[in-house]
Amino acid sequence: EIVMTQSPATLSVSPGERATLSCRASQSVSSNLAWYQQKPGQAPRLLIYGASTRATGIPARFSGSGSGTEFTLTISSLQSEDFAVYYCQQYNNWPPLFTFGPGTKVDIK
Amino acid sequence: QVQLVQSGAEVKKPGASVKVSCKASGYTFTSYYMHWVRQAPGQGLEWMGIINPSGGSTSYAQKFQGRVTMTRDTSTSTVYMELSSLRSEDTAVYYCASSPKMALHLFDYWGQGTLVTVSS
């Protein structure tokens, strides 16, 4: 079983600053890694898949990198609407298996 | 536009079953797989399983094997998730999310969520 961990649990950032979120897999997941954003009371939204490909409509300030076991989500200049919880997810399409990390909360400093 | 509309909140007693629906519109129902993901209060996301609305085939996370059943009704473009032998730990918001057939990892559209509360 692949276990996903994320750090830090909470990241306090000022608007306009850069935020760097980390995700680690207990074993290699190649580039089968996605990032989701979730705001309070809302469903998650897909941001990044394939470790670095932005989903449709996602602003360029969101970028993903990494492969194997270490991944990073970078938000280059935080906007007010970016304060949320971010989850990484490893995936295996067949047989289907999807595992989320515990999340990183990005809040206002 | 694509919409996934889920059924309303449920309150169940321990040991009971719950059946949550997810009605799809705005796309060809059989062209997208449907996942179920749950989130306990204040907790993270947990993938439960997936159904192919075209043929009805399913794949469940090991944790839920034997307790979850996912079905679909193509005449109404609706998928269902039934969870049995409910316990307090099953209290959560349950989401459906669609994925293209050739890219099951793209959870691109989500329902609004259904709160299931298990309490005696």
Side-chain angles (χ1 to χ4, degrees), chain A residues 36 38 49 87 91 93 98, chain B residues 39 47 95 105-107 110:
Chain A
Y36 290 80
Q38 188 179 32
Y49 62 93
Y87 295 94
Y91 53 84
N93 279 350
F98 305 87
Chain B
Q39 186 170 38
W47 181 77
Y95 294 100
H105 55 283
L106 298 182
F107 291 43
W110 293 68

Side-chain angles (χ1 to χ4, degrees), chain A residues 34 36 38 41-46 49-50 87 89 91 93-102, chain B residues 33 35 37 39 43-47 50 59-61 95 102-108 110-112:
Chain A
Y36 290 80
Q38 188 179 32
Q42 295 185 17
R45 177 174 72 144
L46 176 64
Y49 62 93
Y87 295 94
Q89 177 212 49
Y91 53 84
N93 279 350
W94 203 262
L97 182 62
F98 305 87
T99 310
F100 292 91
Chain B
Y33 279 59
H35 301 266
V37 176
Q39 186 170 38
Q43 303 301 309
L45 302 166
E46 184 172 34
W47 181 77
I50 187 172
S59 182
Y60 304 136
Y95 294 100
M102 299 309 295
L104 298 185
H105 55 283
L106 298 182
F107 291 43
D108 50 5
W110 293 68
Q112 82 276 19

Side-chain angles (χ1 to χ4, degrees), chain A residues 30-88:
Chain A
S30 186
S31 295
N32 295 337
L33 194 285
W35 290 93
Y36 290 80
Q37 175 194 67
Q38 188 179 32
K39 298 178 182 179
Q42 295 185 17
R45 177 174 72 144
L46 176 64
L47 298 176
I48 300 283
Y49 62 93
S52 61
T53 302
R54 278 189 302 278
T56 303
I58 301 304
R61 64 180 181 272
F62 291 93
S63 63
S65 63
S67 65
T69 62
E70 302 280 344
F71 300 89
T72 300
L73 175 69
T74 302
I75 311 171
S76 60
S77 177
L78 268 156
Q79 307 297 301
S80 57
E81 61 267 29
D82 300 334
F83 292 97
V85 179
Y86 293 83
Y87 295 94
C88 63

